[in-house]
Amino acid sequence: MKHPPLLLRGRVLPVLDAPIPHGAVVIEDGVITYVGPAARAPHLPGGATEVDAGDGTIIPGMVDAHVHLVADGSADFMGSVVRSAPEELTRTAAANAVRTLTAGTVAVRDLGAPDGIAVALGREIAAGRLPGPQIAAAGRAITAPGGHIPYLGVEVQGAAEMADAARTELARGADGIKLVATGGVLTPAVAIGNAPYEEAELAAAAGVARAEGRWVAAHAIGYDGTKRALRAGATTIEHGVYLDDEAVDLLASCGAVLVTTRIAVVRMLRNADVIEGAVVAKAEEIQDVNIESLRRAARAGIPIAGASDAGTPFNPHGGVAEEAALLVGDIGLSTADALRAVTATAARCLLRSDLGHLSVGAAGHVVVTGGDPMDDVGALRDVRSVVFGGRLVPRSADEETT
Ligand SMILES: [Zn+2]
């Protein structure tokens, strides 16, 4: 589909290259064709759309490497999913997709949804039939019988069954797979340190995905499960709460990306009075060790993607900029590294080299923020304009209909 070229002018943060104080970005046919000084930008024929960033900053569209589109952030995460019919979950997911894109996130990785809902929504968006970010979906999360988040997944055990489950999700259109390698905060009955799968079981599923060049996301909170997942071939470790030196060395030697979701814990603790006590107790239990582990990984130079785990209690979609702020505030990342965590490194989790940076040939997804995220990472929350595939995204649903 042809539409007029778009030119953005102002301070540019390409992410993988140095900032350009008086820069310009040109998008033609959905792809970036120029990034450089405004003075040398190509002359565009009449009809080009121009966006002036003013005192704001032009950055790549953000990428959120861990979300649950079917969940809306209500206090009862599990209840909100299990009590809803597929049609209701589909509507929720579609609304969350719009909210995500409007907040400046142009691609997400959905790590667990029932009934193929995230896969189907991703197809609708890709075909231009519904608004939203690009969606890379895991389909159903693969979890052990009686394990964490069965309502977002399928319960499987045994190496042959694990491999079959991975094949099934990929055949149904998943972009990668999600392995639930440990217990989790939101499943009170299962201890966080619980590691239900042997390395061989995880490896059987991971091997199927990796043979097809797909990503393997491992929900991994406890020490043992995290290490097993890494040895089994996980390409990303989700949450990364308990990381000792051995786990950090494994992250480095396996070339895996660590996906942080600090925001999910912070939001639960902020609303502790209205969340189930057992869940709050777990969130409190992991708070300090989580920060310590992430600092250890950061010091070792492990690639860190900041993600939202959106959909969890009081954690609505579109909040990945908040995770970037926590990476600066709690973990001590520089503003440049925090920006990279929610753009280029997050895109790496999706195995998408065309996302998360402003370069010629990259996808034409651009955000204009207020202020300068290099001075104050909070500027990432102040999204002024969103460009998706070279077109300006309407600011809100009202604007879309007027
Ligand atoms: Zn999650």
Short mmCIF file of all heavy atoms in Angstrom, two decimals, residues 66 68 111 178 219 239 309 312, ligand 1:
data_model
loop_
_atom_site.label_atom_id
_atom_site.label_comp_id
_atom_site.label_asym_id
_atom_site.label_seq_id
_atom_site.Cartn_x
_atom_site.Cartn_y
_atom_site.Cartn_z
N HIS A 66 7.76 -8.74 26.59
CA HIS A 66 7.00 -9.67 27.44
C HIS A 66 5.68 -9.02 27.86
O HIS A 66 5.66 -8.15 28.72
CB HIS A 66 7.83 -10.03 28.68
CG HIS A 66 7.23 -11.10 29.54
ND1 HIS A 66 8.00 -12.06 30.17
CD2 HIS A 66 5.95 -11.38 29.89
CE1 HIS A 66 7.22 -12.87 30.86
NE2 HIS A 66 5.96 -12.47 30.71
N HIS A 68 1.09 -9.90 28.14
CA HIS A 68 -0.04 -10.84 28.05
C HIS A 68 -1.25 -10.04 27.60
O HIS A 68 -1.91 -9.40 28.42
CB HIS A 68 -0.29 -11.52 29.40
CG HIS A 68 0.89 -12.29 29.88
ND1 HIS A 68 1.22 -13.53 29.37
CD2 HIS A 68 1.87 -12.00 30.77
CE1 HIS A 68 2.33 -13.97 29.95
NE2 HIS A 68 2.75 -13.06 30.79
N LEU A 111 3.64 -13.60 25.58
CA LEU A 111 4.20 -14.85 26.13
C LEU A 111 3.17 -15.68 26.88
O LEU A 111 3.39 -16.12 28.00
CB LEU A 111 5.41 -14.52 27.01
CG LEU A 111 6.61 -13.97 26.23
CD1 LEU A 111 7.82 -13.80 27.13
CD2 LEU A 111 6.96 -14.85 25.04
N LYS A 178 7.16 -20.44 24.59
CA LYS A 178 7.35 -20.03 25.98
C LYS A 178 7.38 -21.28 26.85
O LYS A 178 6.44 -22.07 26.83
CB LYS A 178 6.17 -19.13 26.40
CG LYS A 178 6.00 -18.93 27.92
CD LYS A 178 6.82 -17.78 28.44
CE LYS A 178 6.51 -17.42 29.89
NZ LYS A 178 5.33 -16.63 30.11
N HIS A 219 10.26 -18.64 31.17
CA HIS A 219 9.89 -18.04 32.45
C HIS A 219 10.77 -18.72 33.49
O HIS A 219 10.67 -19.93 33.67
CB HIS A 219 8.40 -18.28 32.73
CG HIS A 219 8.02 -18.05 34.16
ND1 HIS A 219 7.44 -16.89 34.59
CD2 HIS A 219 8.16 -18.83 35.26
CE1 HIS A 219 7.23 -16.97 35.89
NE2 HIS A 219 7.66 -18.12 36.32
N HIS A 239 12.19 -12.50 33.56
CA HIS A 239 12.20 -12.05 34.96
C HIS A 239 13.61 -12.06 35.58
O HIS A 239 14.05 -11.05 36.09
CB HIS A 239 11.23 -12.87 35.84
CG HIS A 239 9.91 -13.10 35.20
ND1 HIS A 239 9.07 -12.06 34.84
CD2 HIS A 239 9.27 -14.24 34.82
CE1 HIS A 239 7.98 -12.56 34.28
NE2 HIS A 239 8.08 -13.88 34.25
N ASP A 309 5.63 -7.15 31.25
CA ASP A 309 4.75 -8.22 31.75
C ASP A 309 3.33 -7.67 31.89
O ASP A 309 2.58 -8.05 32.81
CB ASP A 309 5.26 -8.77 33.09
CG ASP A 309 4.89 -10.24 33.30
OD1 ASP A 309 4.18 -10.80 32.45
OD2 ASP A 309 5.29 -10.81 34.33
N THR A 312 -0.52 -8.17 34.10
CA THR A 312 -0.46 -8.62 35.49
C THR A 312 -1.10 -7.53 36.38
O THR A 312 -1.35 -6.42 35.91
CB THR A 312 1.00 -8.93 35.89
OG1 THR A 312 1.80 -7.78 35.59
CG2 THR A 312 1.53 -10.13 35.14
ZN ZN B 1 4.50 -13.02 31.99
#
